[in-house]
């Protein structure tokens, strides 16, 4: 097959559903693939069995589709981020993963989707991972402080009074001293 094709992918946690269309808009096929290295390889091989693949529209290229997006980039496929269709469009055409994958390919074909997907690697991705870890740590710290304050509400009045009015760091240090005394 020497015909140019466009791939569309509806991404999920465990499986991705792919659709292939021609540049004239004819649907050539749809199929589901597992979100594994072998699944990504099979998806790409299956798509290329239908023709020359240069462009792919991927829903969720920076979330569920990140690994697939990297795989496609490494194999010379330009990946375009496709937003989910609005609810009115979904109601008119129906809602299946195969239809969503086909719509992703059609969004690329029509030029409705034009934003190149992020590569999901490199310095920007590393910074994003650090930010996720930092945000998680800040949230955990806040929860721990809130739990400590909730415990103090029910503590013996003498202990509660000795710790009231302390700032966060001083409260943690004082709580550690109390813990050491109780051992």
């Amino acid at each position: 097959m020497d015909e140019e094709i466009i791939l569309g992918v509806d991404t999920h946690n465990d499986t991705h559903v792919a659709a292939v269309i021609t540049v004239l808009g004819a649907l050539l096929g749809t199929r589901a693939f597992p979100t594994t290295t072998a699944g990504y390889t099979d998806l790409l091989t299956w798509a290329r069995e239908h023709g020359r693949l240069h462009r792919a529209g991927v829903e969720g290229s920076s979330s569920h589709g990140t690994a697939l997006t990297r795989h496609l980039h490494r194999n010379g496929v330009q990946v375009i981020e496709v937003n989910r269709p609005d609810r009115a469009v979904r109601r008119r055409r129906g809602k299946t993963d195969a239809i969503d994958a086909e719509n992703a390919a059609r969004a690329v074909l029509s030029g409705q989707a034009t934003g190149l997907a992020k590569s999901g690697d490199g310095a920007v991705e590393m910074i994003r991972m650090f930010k996720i870890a930092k945000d998680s740590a800040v949230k955990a710290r806040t929860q721990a402080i809130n739990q400590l304050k909730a415990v103090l509400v029910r503590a013996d009045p003498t202990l509660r009074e000795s710790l009231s009015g302390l700032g966060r760091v001083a409260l943690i240090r004082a709580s550690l001293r109390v813990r050491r005394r109780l051992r």
Side-chain angles (χ1 to χ4, degrees):
M1 295 245 160
D2 203 25
E3 183 176 20
E4 185 178 346
I5 59 164
I6 298 171
L7 173 67
V9 184
D10 183 28
T11 62
H12 299 280
N13 198 36
D14 298 319
T15 59
H16 295 332
V17 177
V20 174
I21 63 171
T22 68
V23 292
L24 296 177
L27 177 64
L28 299 176
T30 60
R31 188 168 156 199
F33 297 89
T35 56
T36 61
T37 302
Y40 301 146
T41 300
D42 291 347
L43 187 156
L44 187 55
T45 300
W46 171 80
R48 286 184 167 157
E49 288 171 357
H50 292 88
R52 286 181 290 113
L53 176 64
H54 300 293
R55 298 179 292 165
V58 177
E59 280 189 22
S61 64
S62 60
S63 59
H64 291 304
T66 301
L68 174 63
T69 297
R70 278 194 295 261
H71 182 79
L72 293 172
H73 276 149
R74 279 194 303 270
N75 286 278
V77 178
Q78 179 186 47
V79 180
I80 297 165
E81 171 67 33
V82 176
N83 295 324
R84 284 183 12 190
D86 67 18
R87 291 177 190 213
V89 171
R90 293 176 90 181
R91 274 194 303 274
R92 274 195 308 275
R93 290 215 55 208
K95 166 58 181 122
T96 68
D97 295 338
I99 289 173
D100 286 349
E102 180 183 347
N103 286 338
R106 291 189 186 288
V108 171
L109 177 61
S110 70
Q112 180 183 358
T114 58
L116 295 178
K118 297 176 179 101
S119 64
D121 58 6
V124 172
E125 183 67 9
M126 182 88 55
I127 291 167
R128 191 174 78 75
M129 289 295 134
F130 284 132
K131 182 172 180 348
I132 288 170
K134 177 186 176 255
D135 291 348
S136 178
V138 168
K139 182 178 179 182
R141 179 186 68 188
T142 301
Q143 287 176 328
I145 293 293
N146 289 343
Q147 288 172 345
L148 178 57
K149 289 179 179 180
V151 166
L152 287 176
V153 168
R154 299 187 62 192
D156 178 82
T158 307
L159 176 60
R160 188 174 60 239
E161 290 167 13
S162 71
L163 299 175
S164 72
L166 296 178
R168 191 175 22 129
V169 174
L171 178 60
I172 291 169
R173 287 186 178 142
S175 297
L176 288 171
R177 285 192 298 272
V178 168
R179 183 174 165 222
R180 285 187 198 116
R181 280 184 280 169
L182 296 175
R183 285 187 189 176

